Amino acid sequence: MISGYDLILDADYNILSISAEYAEKLQYSGNSDQAKSFLELLKPEYRSRAATALKNCEKDFCFIPTERNKWIFTEINPAPLPAGRTGIKIKNLNPLSDGGSSFSSFAEFIENMFDIYYTSDIYGNITAVSPSIFIYSGFTPEELIGKNLGNDLYVNPELRIKFKELMGTQGRVTAFDAPLYRKDGSIWWVSTSAHFIKNSYGTVIGVEGIARDITDYKEGQEKLVKGIETRYKALFESATDSIFIFDLRTKSIVDANAAARKMTGYSLDELRELMPEQLHPRYEYEKIKDYIVRKREGFGLKETVRLDFMTKQGDIVPAEITASVITEDNRKFSIDVARDISQRLATEKKQREQEQMLIHQSKMAAMGEMISNIAHQWRQPLSKITGILTNLEMGTLQGFIDKKEAETLIHEAFSTLKFMSRTIDDFKNFFSPSKPVEEFCINAALKEVISIIEPNLRFHGIRVLMKVQENIFLKTYRNEFCQVLLNIIQNAKDVLSIRRITDPKIEIRITAGREKTVIRISDNGGGIDHNAMERIFEPYFTTRPDGQGIGLYMSKIIIEKNIKGTITAKNTFEGAEFTIVI
């Protein structure tokens, strides 16, 4: 044996001799390994690089086996010898070995700490590990040295790949959590912080790290998550709204709660076999495509979408849907919440029918008032026509009327008839249905309302005072708006006549700003009884013996529901005041 070398190899890198020191360290017995290939003794991943190192006589590192199937991580330093031979000096790189170059008080500290110190080579093979590993995993350090972290210990090899990626990009890892296998096959969790280690040439030869047992923490966290999942599942299943969870990549349903299964008539397994569009009638397809695209782009549905569902039996279920998009493991899922609005629509339909009936009753009541107004408005013209016809008759019989005078009387009669015809047209137009929405001048609409009721007001001696800005325009339902004005003025007229108010008057003020128009109609009839104030807009509530109690109710419906404004009432010093804001 040539002095200064631990191994002598021939030209084919077969072992010729081993120093007594390393024969004992590596537990070789006699010449049992002499003439064996040195490269074949190494871990397979090191054979190619070791051959290159031997050929070029360069330092390198590798795992060398012992007779007990254990491994030691070493640095080899080859040198050329005569006759094509190679001498190798070996240095133990395990920092926790008393034979290693790094053995010191640091190693003693590591061996006595509860956290786990370890080193591994560039392939993930463990090169050193502190004795505390036995407490947590059941492995002794000797059993783990040479084992591969990714292949032998990691429960999820993908996490090992992620660990290597982080090391490659950052050169270090902090608090990296991963589950590992114990010797008995059970699982424990570690949180690892690590960095690269380099040799004297600056070449990365492995990783050095500290691992802390976090099994109790993870198990507690898992219990907490399971508890949350259990509560979530209970809430999910007990929700009254239907909830569907869609995988936006595959466009398939991954989960649906009990309400969703009940609404559609499908089981969960059946729903998972359906595409989203199969849950809806064909006429909804375009709408479905639109909102699926929006969800895929990650926006979800910020507003509520009206969408019909089709059950397994082919029935149509009207619904409203909202959706939010979540990302889990780089996959997008949509959580769709659908509310069955069948009952609500039925209730709304019934309410509309009741409202239509009330509107009809209101118009019939108003028509009765209008007939009274027509009677007042026609009384004078009819008297005038009667006088004209009497004059014509007398003049014709007695022969004192000439042709020109007869033509004048006839023209005057026709003019009076035209006035009466216009009166009928005004009432007919007032009671005809409104166009959907139209822009009109409030001033003209108010004059029309006053012209209809003016004879009745004049009969009762009621003055109408108007303070109205010029050229105020609204875009809404014209006839409905006029009906509200008429209802309020008619109510004021009734109060003033019933209470026999001295100098009765109705004041109408209209002002317009940038965004709002305010109409105020007040009277001097003494006001509304305090106990009745809160109920005046209720259907069928009235304070008059002959009242029907639908005029103000319909006025509120028209203003707040159809025109989207507000109507309120209050008492003033003289009487009542109604305020409409549009």
Side-chain angles (χ1 to χ4, degrees):
M1 184 72 186
I2 300 175
S3 176
Y5 294 101
D6 297 303
L7 288 173
I8 303 296
L9 309 181
D10 64 17
D12 296 323
Y13 306 133
N14 296 312
I15 299 174
L16 295 177
S17 61
I18 305 175
S19 68
E21 179 185 356
Y22 261 86
E24 182 180 352
K25 282 184 179 181
L26 303 179
Q27 300 185 12
Y28 291 136
S29 56
N31 294 324
S32 62
D33 284 294
Q34 292 184 15
K36 283 187 178 181
S37 169
F38 173 71
L39 296 177
E40 288 181 3
L41 294 176
L42 308 181
K43 273 185 170 288
E45 56 264 38
Y46 282 97
R47 289 171 186 171
S48 175
R49 63 180 295 149
T52 302
L54 292 172
K55 180 180 178 181
N56 298 328
C57 291
E58 296 174 340
K59 282 185 181 181
D60 203 4
F61 48 90
C62 62
F63 275 95
I64 295 179
T66 67
E67 285 188 350
R68 293 186 303 175
N69 254 340
K70 307 299 180 189
W71 297 90
I72 58 173
F73 190 57
T74 62
E75 179 184 85
I76 58 172
N77 188 4
L81 296 176
R85 294 176 299 170
T86 302
I88 298 177
K89 293 181 180 180
I90 299 174
K91 182 165 68 173
N92 189 350
L93 295 179
N94 185 345
L96 302 182
S97 169
D98 59 358
S101 60
S102 302
F103 186 73
S104 63
S105 58
F106 167 73
E108 292 181 5
F109 168 74
I110 290 296
E111 288 187 349
N112 288 287
M113 69 186 295
F114 283 103
D115 287 342
I116 303 152
Y117 171 85
Y118 80 97
T119 59
S120 66
D121 65 10
I122 57 175
Y123 302 108
N125 301 305
I126 297 173
T127 57
V129 62
S130 60
S132 56
I133 187 67
F134 179 76
I135 300 171
Y136 308 110
S137 71
F139 288 108
T140 63
E142 291 78 11
E143 289 173 324
L144 285 179
I145 292 175
K147 283 188 178 292
N148 187 272
L149 284 165
N151 297 334
D152 300 326
L153 298 178
Y154 266 70
V155 175
N156 300 320
E158 297 83 5
L159 283 177
R160 180 62 190 172
I161 294 170
K162 186 177 180 181
F163 178 90
K164 290 168 71 175
E165 288 174 352
L166 290 172
M167 289 295 299
T169 55
Q170 302 174 13
R172 62 177 58 246
V173 167
T174 303
F176 184 86
D177 297 350
L180 305 179
Y181 286 116
R182 291 191 178 99
K183 188 175 181 178
D184 61 8
S186 60
I187 294 173
W188 65 300
W189 280 81
V190 295
S191 180
T192 303
S193 297
H195 61 90
F196 283 134
I197 50 177
K198 300 177 181 180
N199 62 15
S200 56
Y201 297 103
T203 303
V204 173
I205 62 172
V207 172
E208 179 181 54
I210 295 288
R212 173 165 292 179
D213 174 35
I214 58 169
T215 307
D216 290 344
Y217 167 75
K218 283 292 183 180
E219 287 177 350
Q221 198 176 47
E222 186 177 348
K223 286 179 182 177
L224 179 63
V225 169
K226 283 183 178 178
I228 292 172
E229 286 179 349
T230 301
R231 288 194 292 272
Y232 153 75
K233 193 66 177 176
L235 290 171
F236 177 73
E237 283 296 316
S238 63
T240 55
D241 288 339
S242 300
I243 304 175
F244 301 87
I245 301 178
F246 292 92
D247 185 331
L248 292 179
R249 181 173 60 83
T250 62
K251 294 198 301 182
S252 60
I253 297 171
V254 295
D255 205 354
N257 70 347
R261 301 192 294 273
K262 182 179 178 181
M263 182 179 77
T264 61
Y266 291 102
S267 67
L268 181 57
D269 289 338
E270 288 173 327
L271 284 171
R272 285 173 173 164
E273 296 296 321
L274 299 178
M275 299 302 285
E277 55 267 24
Q278 291 176 277
L279 288 174
H280 307 279
R282 285 188 172 276
Y283 58 77
E284 297 282 31
Y285 277 19
E286 289 304 317
K287 195 185 295 183
I288 295 165
K289 287 178 184 177
D290 174 64
Y291 91 74
I292 286 177
V293 168
R294 287 161 62 192
K295 289 193 295 184
R296 278 182 176 168
E297 292 173 351
F299 298 115
L301 296 175
K302 304 300 181 186
E303 74 286 354
T304 299
V305 174
R306 174 73 172 80
L307 198 63
D308 288 345
F309 279 78
M310 187 167 66
T311 68
K312 185 178 180 180
Q313 294 74 29
D315 298 326
I316 301 299
V317 179
E320 289 178 342
I321 291 182
T322 57
S324 57
V325 176
I326 61 171
T327 302
E328 187 72 28
D329 295 331
N330 295 320
R331 293 173 66 184
K332 287 184 178 180
F333 296 88
S334 172
I335 301 176
D336 291 21
V337 180
R339 175 166 294 178
D340 182 348
I341 58 172
S342 303
Q343 189 173 356
R344 192 184 82 193
L345 292 179
T347 303
E348 288 176 355
K349 182 181 178 183
K350 187 175 180 181
Q351 286 177 343
R352 283 196 300 270
E353 289 172 352
Q354 290 174 340
E355 286 173 9
Q356 289 301 317
M357 182 182 69
L358 288 171
I359 289 171
H360 178 70
Q361 291 177 355
S362 176
K363 286 205 170 187
M364 292 303 292
M367 193 175 292
E369 295 284 351
M370 291 307 102
I371 291 171
S372 175
N373 290 331
I374 291 172
H376 281 287
Q377 201 149 337
W378 275 14
R379 185 171 287 116
Q380 185 178 357
L382 284 171
S383 298
K384 187 175 181 180
I385 291 172
T386 300
I388 291 170
L389 291 175
T390 300
N391 288 338
L392 279 173
E393 182 183 24
M394 293 296 292
T396 303
L397 291 173
Q398 297 177 9
F400 62 78
I401 190 168
D402 59 21
K403 182 180 177 183
K404 185 176 181 181
E405 188 175 353
E407 288 177 350
T408 301
L409 288 171
I410 292 169
H411 177 75
E412 189 175 346
F414 273 116
S415 296
T416 304
L417 287 171
K418 283 182 181 177
F419 169 78
M420 295 172 72
S421 177
R422 282 199 303 271
T423 302
I424 292 295
D425 288 340
D426 288 343
F427 284 103
K428 183 182 71 175
N429 292 335
F430 182 80
F431 285 105
S432 65
S434 280
K435 297 175 184 177
V437 168
E438 58 182 306
E439 189 173 36
F440 61 91
C441 178
I442 290 183
N443 311 66
L446 179 59
K447 286 179 182 177
E448 180 183 320
V449 171
I450 296 299
S451 70
I452 289 172
I453 199 173
E454 193 270 336
N456 216 330
L457 294 172
R458 189 170 60 248
F459 177 79
H460 291 285
I462 299 171
R463 292 183 297 134
V464 177
L465 309 175
M466 291 193 290
K467 298 178 181 178
V468 183
Q469 287 180 221
E470 292 295 327
N471 299 320
I472 301 175
F473 285 86
L474 279 182
K475 191 172 184 180
T476 185
Y477 301 94
R478 187 181 192 278
N479 282 5
E480 278 82 349
F481 174 75
C482 290
Q483 185 179 347
V484 171
L485 296 182
L486 185 64
N487 285 343
I488 297 172
I489 295 170
Q490 188 74 48
N491 277 2
K493 183 268 297 180
D494 290 342
V495 168
L496 292 169
S497 61
I498 290 170
R499 295 181 180 177
R500 300 181 184 277
I501 301 298
T502 303
D503 189 23
K505 63 180 179 180
I506 297 172
E507 185 174 347
I508 302 171
R509 289 169 291 154
I510 303 179
T511 56
R514 288 185 177 180
E515 298 180 355
K516 293 180 180 179
T517 298
V518 180
I519 301 107
R520 290 184 174 89
I521 303 173
S522 59
D523 61 55
N524 62 341
I528 302 167
D529 184 83
H530 176 73
N531 295 326
M533 180 65 79
E534 293 183 359
R535 301 188 59 196
I536 60 172
F537 291 110
E538 293 179 10
Y540 303 114
F541 177 78
T542 181
T543 58
R544 300 201 317 264
D546 61 340
Q548 294 185 341
I550 56 176
L552 287 179
Y553 170 70
M554 287 314 307
S555 297
K556 188 174 181 68
I557 292 292
I558 290 169
I559 292 297
E560 296 188 352
K561 203 166 184 181
N562 297 0
I563 299 179
K564 308 302 181 187
T566 61
I567 180 170
T568 56
K570 68 176 183 178
N571 284 327
T572 63
F573 179 74
E574 290 187 304
E577 180 178 272
F578 287 82
T579 302
I580 299 169
V581 180
I582 301 173

